Amino acid sequence: MSETQVENSVPHAILHNDYATQWMGIEVVEVSDGHAVITMTLRQEMLNGFGIGHGGMIFALADTAFALSCNPQGGSDETITVASGADVNFLKPAIPGRVLTATGNRVSQQGRSGIYDIKVTQPAGDGSIETVAEFRGRSRTVPKPQNR
């Protein structure tokens, strides 16, 4: 598959067999080189014991935007770009039923290493947009694993 062609209208090649992303109900709004915008509705099974968004679900949403931002939309036959590390800061509780938006952007790319910032937001009660979390991912481009 070429980098400009995505099989079966999947908005990004890495989502073709990504069952976690499918389960989370993540939708791709926009994707381009070094950039991605995705959304997810916060469902009941994504909540923690306090009745707010589980940090792992928020991290997973940001991590998906990170992956989409660092890999070519059509995929690559030779390499993949994976996380070498990530940090997240949770700033506000994610509220059940709200649509969370994760926006990822490349900050720096030097050889096989990159830095990406992902902001997770939600609509606030007054109609404004509030930041739920800030995620910084560090990427590394490596040879694509052979069929396992």
Side-chain angles (χ1 to χ4, degrees), residues 1 13-14 17 19-20 32 42-43 47 52 61 68 71 82 95 97 109-110 114-115 118-119 124-125 143-144:
M1 176 170 22
I14 66 172
N17 292 315
Y19 302 109
S32 60
L42 196 59
R43 303 187 314 258
L47 306 181
I52 57 177
L61 176 66
L68 296 176
N71 283 280
V82 296
I95 306 302
Q109 181 75 41
Q110 300 295 318
I115 298 173
I118 292 78
K119 182 181 283 196
K144 190 172 193 173

Side-chain angles (χ1 to χ4, degrees), residues 10-129:
V10 175
H12 200 291
I14 66 172
L15 296 178
H16 185 70
N17 292 315
D18 187 338
Y19 302 109
T21 296
Q22 291 172 24
W23 176 83
M24 290 187 301
I26 290 175
E27 294 187 24
V28 176
V29 175
E30 179 180 321
V31 66
S32 60
D33 182 37
H35 174 75
V37 179
I38 60 175
T39 61
M40 174 183 82
T41 301
L42 196 59
R43 303 187 314 258
Q44 182 176 359
E45 62 272 23
M46 298 172 165
L47 306 181
N48 64 20
F50 299 114
I52 57 177
H54 190 290
M57 295 290 101
I58 297 165
F59 186 96
L61 176 66
D63 187 50
T64 300
F66 173 40
L68 296 176
S69 297
C70 353
N71 283 280
Q73 187 176 3
S76 169
D77 293 333
E78 296 158 7
T79 63
I80 58 173
T81 301
V82 296
S84 64
D87 299 298
V88 66
N89 292 294
F90 299 105
L91 305 171
K92 293 242 183 202
I95 306 302
R98 294 202 181 155
V99 175
L100 303 180
T101 300
T103 302
N105 288 295
R106 180 185 302 128
V107 174
S108 177
Q109 181 75 41
Q110 300 295 318
R112 296 187 303 145
S113 298
I115 298 173
Y116 293 77
D117 283 343
I118 292 78
K119 182 181 283 196
V120 179
T121 61
Q122 70 184 353
D126 65 3
S128 64
I129 301 297

Side-chain angles (χ1 to χ4, degrees), residues 132-145:
V132 172
E134 295 269 356
F135 174 109
R136 174 157 275 193
R138 296 173 302 282
S139 70
R140 186 73 172 171
T141 300
V142 297
K144 190 172 193 173

